[in-house]
Structures are given as C-alpha cells and as structure tokens.
Amino acid sequence: MTGHDLTDADGPSGPSGPHEPEPQQEAFGEARWPMAGAVIAAMALTLLMPDDLRLGPRWLFPFVEGLLLVTLIAGDPGRISRRSAALRAVSIALVGVLAIGAAWSTVRLVDDLVHGGTETNSAAGLLQAGGVVWASTILAFSLMYFELDGGGAAARAHHMPATPELAFPQQLNADVNATRWRPRYIDYLYLGLTNSTAFSPTDVMPLAPWAKIAMAVQSLISLLILGLVIARAVNVFA
C-alpha cells in the first residue's frame, strides 16, 4: 500500500480513522424584534384601554414598559444571546409589569361585567374593552413563557435543558430530527393564543410545575373573560 493509500485510509476522512472534534456550535441568538414588537403592541393596547380598566395614568405603564425595553435593547442589541444577571432581572421586571397591568385590567373588566360599567353598556364598547383585555393577557402570558422557559432566550441560545419545561413537538418527536432547534417568540405567542382559545394545551405540553400553573391560570382567565363578555353581549343585543 502506498503512502497515498495510507493517508486515505487512516486520515480524518477515512472510514476507520480518528475523527476530529466538532467545532463548538455558535449561540442561537434569536432576533430581538419579535419580542420587542409584542411589548410595543402591549403598550398600544394599554393606551386603547378605557380609563376604568387601566391601572394609573394612561402614560404610566407604557412609559415603564418602554424604558425597560430600551434598557434590554441597549444591553443586548440585535440578537438575544448575552447572558447577564442584570439583563435577566430587567426582562423579568418587564414581564412582571405586563402581567400586573393585564391582571388589573382583567379584574376591573370582570367587576364591570358583573356590576355594570360604562364600557359594558354598549355593544361596541363591550367588544372593544373585552378584546383589548383578552389580547393583553395573551401577550403578557406569551412573554412570560418566553422569559421563563429554559432560563430565558439568552440561556436557550447557548444550551437547551436536557428536560424541557415546555415541551414543543420538535422536542417530543424524534422523527422531526430537530437537534439544533430552538423555540422562538412566535412559538410562545402561538402557545399563548391557543391556550386562551382552547383553554388547554394543544401541541405544547407543560412539564414543569410553574408551566402547568401558568397555563392553568391563563385558561381560567380567558374562560372568565370570554364567558362573561359573551353573556353580557347577549343581554346588550337582546
């Protein structure tokens, strides 16, 4: 066997030769704009909300949410890949502010639907108020799932947990062969939407206790909002 043959047989490309270590995979780094767009949409919904359903002045929550969003973009622009305790705290604070605003609006809407309110006495006002609050809860929960699953987007960019907290079909079905797949914000938005319409998991299974509690709470909130809005609408149209 010639030297050339030995090289072909025993080199890195040979069938039985030693393999070179695979290069380290780069961070996934999801784009920031889908998440930022959801926050901006939540801010716009707050501005569209009737005064009785909003916590504080009209500008307060959009201003705080915008300030936190700008801080996140400045600290990790472009793609979300920087692991930082400070940025993580800002992200959780942003989700907390969105959740508080959505929860307050839901409680106020339910109270108005039960006891009567200015925005629930007309069909147009009822549908607008109910739709805005319902959409706000979907955005708030989708961003909560996005931030809590797997330690957040920055952590998922570098390493997916061995046991998922929210199990997507790509993680459950080996035939999909999505070894390098990462959930994006659109996946969590879809989860929030389907959980609010089906009142139960559809294609994403909650495995962690916090995920089960969050999805259960969202389902109950959505059922309460839609049920009361529909019941009130029937009375108004009748």
Side-chain angles (χ1 to χ4, degrees):
M1 184 178 294
T2 65
H4 179 74
D5 294 332
L6 286 172
T7 303
D8 290 342
D10 298 334
S13 60
S16 58
H19 294 281
E20 294 181 353
E22 295 182 0
Q24 187 177 2
Q25 295 181 0
E26 296 182 357
F28 178 81
E30 178 181 357
R32 173 73 69 181
W33 68 264
M35 169 267 182
V39 175
I40 294 173
M43 294 163 57
L45 289 175
T46 301
L47 295 175
L48 294 175
M49 234 175 245
D51 293 337
D52 293 343
L53 304 182
R54 194 172 46 247
L55 179 60
R58 182 183 296 270
W59 57 268
L60 179 60
F61 269 63
F63 174 78
V64 174
E65 292 159 2
L67 184 62
L68 293 172
L69 178 60
V70 169
T71 303
L72 287 176
I73 295 175
D76 189 14
R79 295 186 172 273
I80 308 174
S81 59
R82 181 184 174 190
R83 289 178 287 189
S84 166
L87 291 177
R88 172 82 168 150
V90 173
S91 298
I92 293 177
L94 176 57
V95 171
V97 172
L98 290 167
I100 291 172
W104 176 268
S105 299
T106 300
V107 172
R108 293 296 303 155
L109 176 64
V110 170
D111 182 71
D112 285 354
L113 287 170
V114 173
H115 300 99
T118 55
E119 69 279 345
T120 61
N121 291 327
S122 67
L126 172 63
L127 293 176
Q128 178 183 356
V132 167
V133 173
W134 186 66
S136 297
T137 60
I138 292 176
L139 290 174
F141 274 95
S142 68
L143 288 165
M144 179 187 299
Y145 300 140
F146 174 78
E147 184 55 42
L148 296 183
D149 184 31
R156 292 192 303 269
H158 296 272
H159 175 72
M160 289 292 291
T163 301
E165 297 172 311
L166 288 168
F168 291 85
Q170 291 88 340
Q171 297 168 306
L172 295 175
N173 189 352
D175 295 334
V176 176
N177 193 26
T179 55
R180 298 186 63 183
W181 180 83
R182 298 288 190 276
R184 300 171 181 264
Y185 173 70
I186 185 62
D187 298 299
Y188 296 101
L189 179 60
Y190 179 76
L191 166 61
L193 176 61
T194 56
N195 195 48
S196 286
T197 53
F199 313 123
S200 63
T202 53
D203 63 337
V204 182
M205 296 295 105
L207 302 184
W210 73 262
K212 295 180 180 182
I213 294 172
M215 292 185 68
V217 170
Q218 185 189 8
S219 297
L220 292 174
I221 290 175
S222 182
L223 180 61
L224 186 63
I225 293 175
L226 294 180
L228 290 177
V229 167
I230 292 172
R232 181 68 176 173
V234 170
N235 292 332
V236 171
F237 283 111

